[in-house]
Amino acid sequence: MGQILIINFSPIFIYFPSIFIMMELTLFGTSSMVPTKERNQSAVFLRYENEGFLFDCGEGTQKQFKIKGIPLTRITKIFLTHWHGDHVFGLPGVIASLGKMDYERSLLIVGPKGTKKHLEAMFSAFEFERNFGIEIREAEKGICFDAKGYKVECLPLDHDVPTVGYRFVEKDVRHIDMKKIKKIGLPAGPMLGKLADGEPVEHNGKRILPEEATFIEKGKKVAIVTDTAFCANAVKLAEDADLVVAEATFGAKLEEKSKAYKHMTGREAAQVASQAGAKKLVLTHFSARYKETIEVEEDAKDIFPDTIAGRDFMTFKI
Ligand SMILES: [Zn+2]
Ligand SMILES: [Zn+2]
């Protein structure tokens, strides 16, 4: 998200557009229940400025961080989609390792209904050395985390246990339009800050509205849609998203099986992205039966061309 920095002690006006904001998504696991040699269980890591959001934490996730060279302590919040083992088996390991590191913050764990009960059972099953706080939130629908520059929303999905999908939404930002400012003849200073905050200002007896001197930069959106059968909420989560990470457990030939197990085919994932008007689709959560995922990818590309079959360690700049 863009930010404006006005240096009041100098006539220089510095504008930092959003291009400087770090927003990067890494796939740490693209397999469904049974991992393969090439594919780990589910985990997606989204870095946004100083935040690190881990969506699901399949077995071996902490090792994937090591291999990729991202310190585990970058994780600031964990969002769990559901409690099927392939999405949470890595959780005790990550928490135990953070307890051995200089992890000086409180870790937020968000998950569907039942998350508190599952976590309590997990903490009593293992001996944890924990010197940091953990806040647990159960989320069903709506905003599950709200911060100054972004929010994370969730909606229930159609799976055989309580499951939520997530949507990271960077808030829109109002920027100063230097061309308009020059035309109006406004000097650099606090007035520009006010306009950037959406407030009107007075200059030479004239009232200047923010719309006359600024422009809106739309925030980026990322959707995590897994595990689920095709459903309306999957489309809602992906609406207008810059990047959709969606499960595509099966190829189109196994559509019946996919429906029976409450999963999606590549084609259905593409329908989600297409109906949602998303910009890019990354497929994940492939059945171990697919050594190569090209079949699933091609099914999807027929419907939504900007599709890529995810591979472990793939990184996307957003
Ligand atoms: Zn799964
Ligand atoms: Zn599942």
Side-chain angles (χ1 to χ4, degrees), residues 27 30 281-284 286 293-294 296-297 301 307-311 314 316:
L27 302 174
T30 55
L281 171 65
V282 181
L283 304 177
T284 186
F286 304 107
T293 51
I294 185 83
V296 187
E297 186 184 76
K301 275 186 166 166
T307 299
I308 186 165
R311 291 194 305 275
M314 248 183 192
F316 301 87

Side-chain angles (χ1 to χ4, degrees), residues 37 40 91 116 179 195 198-199 266 292:
K37 229 166 83 182
N40 213 65
L91 204 51
K116 281 183 184 158
K179 268 191 193 160
L195 285 166
E199 292 171 37
E292 301 291 334

